[in-house]
Amino acid sequence: MVNTDFEKIYLNQNRLAGRMRIADSGLGWKANNPPGGSNANSSKANAPFLLPSEEILTASWSRGSKGYELRVQTRNKGVVMLDGFDVDDFTQLKQELMRNFQLTLEHKEHSLRGWNWGKTDLARNELVFNVNNKPAFEIPYEYITNSNLTGKNEVAIEFNLDGGVSKAGDEVVEMRFYVPGTVENETKVTKKVKVEAKEGEEKPTEVEEETTETNEISAAQVFYEQLKDKADIGQVAGEAIVSFSDVLFLTPRGRYDIDMYPTSLRLRGKTYDYKIQYEQIERIFSLPKPDEVHHLLILQIDPPLRQGQTRYPFLVLQVAREEETELELNLDEQEFDAKYKDRLKKSYDAPTHVVMSHCFRGLTERKLVTPGSFQSRFLQPGISCSLKASEGYLYPLDRCFLFVTKPTIYIPFVEISNVTMSRTGGGVSASRTFDLEINVRGSNQSHIFGSIDREEQETIERFCNEKGIRVRNEEKIAKAMLAKAMKEGADDEDDSDVDMGSAGEEDEESADDDFQSGSDSDVAEEFDSDAAVSSDEEMNDEAEKDDRPPKKKAKN
């Protein structure tokens, strides 16, 4: 047995090169010198890859991003892409495939016209976009996460994201296809037709007749349904471990059926379908709504769910508190005991929000966040408030603040610089409500939650102090400044009274001196006979000295 090796080959657009080996038993690939200290995802991506010979269907040779590419179509493992070959490797590779697997290596040329219109071919393992009967690009079905009808003639396709762990370079996130026109759809309808009674029969008989009805549907709808079946986006509900039907979502708005599988969950709505990997779910919150009627389940996902240009980093589910659910997991005893015995129960009969929380926590293996020690004056874990124009509830939890529902905001304590409490302005409402401003550390960003009941201020302030969050109460600061100013003003008044007393005496003395100096002349003018004479003489002397003519009296 002779093995043939090829060096510097990249498997499925991996960022690390490796060695590819062809043997009688199949194909193999192993990464060269994987980096130490890598996480679980990268080690999984760089693990040795083996493809048995019985899995190989066809192989093609074409230009790739790093040289020439060998593209292998398999029976059950999708498309295997091996890139990085030299042009001289074609002959040797063709001989080895023929010798080991009796397989002809097909040379395939891609279209380089750059056109964005063509025909789609839904092949066994991938979607092929052809331009002038040549493939422009291929999309393996395993890379497709979601597909939605975004318009009458438009289909959107979303792709898996692995966080850049294994693949090199940028990745395409979404692609949209415009599919014009309509297609005639024929459906068979079975009808029961009554036949008149024959001779000797008392009652008429019913006969089933099949008729064919033809109606037109959009070509985009047909393409969407075919792609969904090929890519296994809409999986059969019977394969799910557990399913919940007609669940109300506040974000994104609508009702969805939830199907939970071993590694992912499926949301099936009237317009949109979503597939969410459990690896995307970061946190799960289970919080009672302060209205004492509903219960909220919040899923924080990264990367966020996309609906056109809108991103949804949080999924908010709402169920009635009194609603009960009875179900049994779709697992056999052996599989349940081996994988899920410590995380799930085989059957449930409890309130719906308890069952859903337990299933989410067991299948995703994420921590379930529940209300902490905070309680409002109504003994609720959340308080009613508003964020800009949106009304909602603010939950002070053990390690974060969470505002629901639109927009849902998650603020961990470690990112909070300080908290400021202030009044909401003038008027009667100012005495009943206050604002809570949360400033984020290391940025100018802040979240202002308004219209909070005044009686909750002391409770929130005490909670923040217990969590080690700096609190700045503007009202207390204003009162302290006012009291300080009034005290300083009182001290100034006391000092001014003492100064004014001494100054008053001096003024009185000076006034008396002035009065005494002029008192003799005044008394002399009024009571002394010599005063008039002297005054007349002085006036005559002044008149003689003044040669100017007398002023005329002003006319009234």
Side-chain angles (χ1 to χ4, degrees):
M1 182 177 67
V2 180
N3 298 333
T4 305
D5 293 348
F6 295 90
E7 299 290 343
K8 295 183 180 180
I9 304 300
Y10 296 84
L11 173 68
N12 294 334
Q13 301 176 359
N14 198 307
R15 63 172 66 246
L16 292 177
R19 175 185 298 177
M20 173 195 164
R21 175 170 294 177
I22 301 178
D24 295 339
S25 57
L27 300 177
W29 179 89
K30 185 178 180 180
N32 291 334
N33 300 324
S38 58
N39 56 26
N41 291 331
S42 61
S43 60
K44 181 180 178 182
N46 298 325
F49 173 78
L50 299 174
L51 182 66
S53 59
E54 59 269 14
E55 279 285 335
I56 301 174
L57 287 177
T58 60
S60 61
W61 172 273
S62 62
R63 288 297 299 265
S65 59
K66 295 180 175 64
Y68 284 83
E69 179 186 66
L70 174 66
R71 203 175 189 91
V72 181
Q73 303 288 338
T74 67
R75 298 182 187 274
N76 302 306
K77 295 189 176 184
V79 183
V80 178
M81 295 170 286
L82 295 159
D83 196 3
F85 291 96
D86 293 331
V87 65
D88 300 332
D89 295 333
F90 174 76
T91 304
Q92 184 182 5
L93 193 61
K94 184 177 181 180
Q95 293 174 355
E96 292 297 327
L97 292 176
M98 177 59 70
R99 182 171 64 85
N100 289 286
F101 315 122
Q102 291 74 46
L103 193 66
T104 302
L105 183 60
E106 178 187 358
H107 190 281
K108 186 180 293 184
E109 293 185 2
H110 283 83
S111 174
L112 303 178
R113 290 178 175 267
W115 292 359
N116 65 337
W117 66 92
K119 294 183 178 181
T120 56
D121 179 18
L122 298 176
R124 179 186 180 91
N125 297 315
E126 57 188 356
L127 184 154
V128 183
F129 187 82
N130 294 313
V131 176
N132 281 358
N133 297 322
K134 290 183 178 181
F137 59 85
E138 302 94 351
I139 304 174
Y141 296 139
E142 59 184 346
Y143 291 176
I144 300 175
T145 304
N146 292 316
S147 177
N148 292 301
L149 278 169
T150 56
K152 185 179 179 181
N153 298 313
E154 193 174 68
V155 180
I157 298 175
E158 297 178 20
F159 302 106
N160 287 327
L161 293 176
D162 64 352
V165 174
S166 61
K167 294 182 180 178
D170 297 332
E171 294 184 56
V172 178
V173 175
E174 182 180 10
M175 184 181 292
R176 297 195 178 193
F177 292 92
Y178 177 76
V179 188
T182 58
V183 177
E184 291 187 355
N185 183 32
E186 294 184 354
T187 56
K188 292 183 179 181
V189 180
T190 303
K191 296 181 179 179
K192 292 184 178 180
V193 181
K194 289 185 178 181
V195 181
E196 294 183 358
K198 299 180 181 179
E199 294 182 2
E201 295 181 354
E202 297 181 357
K203 297 180 180 180
T205 57
E206 292 184 354
V207 179
E208 292 184 355
E209 290 185 356
E210 286 189 358
T211 59
T212 302
E213 294 183 357
T214 304
N215 55 351
E216 289 188 351
I217 59 174
S218 65
Q221 178 73 32
V222 176
F223 175 72
Y224 166 70
E225 296 292 342
Q226 292 176 351
L227 179 63
K228 194 165 68 170
D229 293 338
K230 287 282 189 179
D232 291 333
I233 296 174
Q235 299 185 33
V236 182
E239 300 175 357
I241 295 175
V242 62
S243 298
F244 301 95
S245 60
D246 201 31
V247 179
L248 176 62
F249 278 69
L250 302 182
T251 306
R253 191 76 182 178
R255 290 188 175 272
Y256 293 85
D257 294 339
I258 304 175
D259 297 330
M260 304 189 73
Y261 299 90
T263 59
S264 64
L265 64 87
R266 188 79 214 158
L267 304 181
R268 294 183 290 109
K270 293 182 179 179
T271 307
Y272 294 97
D273 286 356
Y274 300 102
K275 182 180 180 181
I276 302 172
Q277 302 290 334
Y278 292 149
E279 296 176 353
Q280 292 179 247
I281 300 176
E282 294 186 337
R283 293 176 185 86
I284 306 172
F285 299 88
S286 178
L287 305 171
K289 208 171 182 181
D291 61 3
E292 298 185 351
V293 179
H294 299 98
H295 197 95
L296 298 176
L297 288 173
I298 301 110
L299 306 179
Q300 183 180 2
I301 57 176
D302 184 33
L305 212 62
R306 294 167 58 92
Q307 201 174 87
Q309 298 298 323
T310 309
R311 294 171 176 264
Y312 295 100
F314 291 91
L315 305 183
V316 183
L317 296 70
Q318 178 175 287
V319 295
R321 287 194 193 182
E322 304 299 327
E323 183 180 344
E324 299 279 336
T325 296
E326 183 178 356
L327 58 84
E328 186 172 351
L329 300 184
N330 186 22
L331 294 169
D332 55 33
E333 292 292 340
Q334 185 178 358
E335 186 178 3
F336 175 79
D337 293 338
K339 296 181 180 180
Y340 304 102
K341 185 177 181 180
D342 298 332
R343 294 184 282 159
L344 297 171
K345 296 180 181 179
K346 190 69 171 69
S347 60
Y348 291 90
D349 186 6
T352 302
H353 65 87
V354 175
V355 178
M356 293 180 70
S357 300
H358 202 266
C359 290
F360 277 121
R361 183 184 63 181
L363 290 172
T364 63
E365 298 187 69
R366 296 291 188 271
K367 183 181 178 182
L368 184 67
V369 181
T370 55
S373 59
F374 178 84
Q375 280 191 336
S376 67
R377 68 188 185 98
F378 298 111
L379 303 179
Q380 296 294 332
I383 54 176
S384 177
C385 63
S386 62
L387 179 65
K388 297 181 180 179
S390 303
E391 294 184 356
Y393 299 99
L394 180 66
Y395 290 89
L397 303 174
D398 285 341
R399 295 185 179 180
C400 66
F401 285 103
L402 185 70
F403 176 80
V404 291
T405 58
K406 284 187 178 181
T408 303
I409 296 179
Y410 169 75
I411 313 173
F413 291 158
V414 294
E415 296 182 4
I416 296 177
S417 172
N418 58 65
V419 170
T420 304
M421 296 182 178
S422 60
R423 302 185 69 172
T424 57
V428 180
S429 62
S431 61
R432 297 179 181 177
T433 61
F434 72 97
D435 285 353
L436 180 67
E437 181 179 359
I438 300 177
N439 299 306
V440 179
R441 193 188 304 273
S443 68
N444 296 326
Q445 184 182 7
S446 64
H447 305 282
I448 301 176
F449 303 97
S451 303
I452 303 176
D453 194 338
R454 190 74 169 183
E455 297 184 11
E456 305 288 358
Q457 181 171 343
E458 184 178 350
T459 309
I460 296 176
E461 188 171 357
R462 185 171 60 252
F463 174 82
C464 291
N465 290 329
E466 291 175 356
K467 297 298 180 182
I469 301 172
R470 291 190 299 171
V471 180
R472 186 173 182 269
N473 194 322
E474 289 188 352
E475 186 178 356
K476 287 185 178 181
I477 294 173
K479 286 182 179 180
M481 293 177 65
L482 180 61
K484 184 178 179 181
M486 291 179 67
K487 184 178 179 181
E488 292 177 354
D491 294 341
D492 293 342
E493 287 180 2
D494 295 339
D495 296 340
S496 63
D497 289 342
V498 176
D499 296 339
M500 284 296 289
S502 61
E505 291 175 358
E506 292 177 358
D507 292 342
E508 287 175 0
E509 289 176 359
S510 63
D512 292 342
D513 293 342
D514 295 341
F515 178 75
Q516 289 292 338
S517 64
S519 62
D520 295 340
S521 62
D522 293 339
V523 172
E525 287 181 4
E526 188 171 356
F527 298 104
D528 197 1
S529 58
D530 296 335
V533 176
S534 62
S535 62
D536 292 339
E537 290 176 357
E538 290 176 358
M539 292 178 65
N540 292 332
D541 293 341
E542 290 177 359
E544 289 176 0
K545 291 178 181 179
D546 193 1
D547 296 336
R548 292 177 298 179
K551 293 180 179 182
K552 294 181 181 181
K553 294 182 179 179
K555 295 182 180 180
N556 295 329

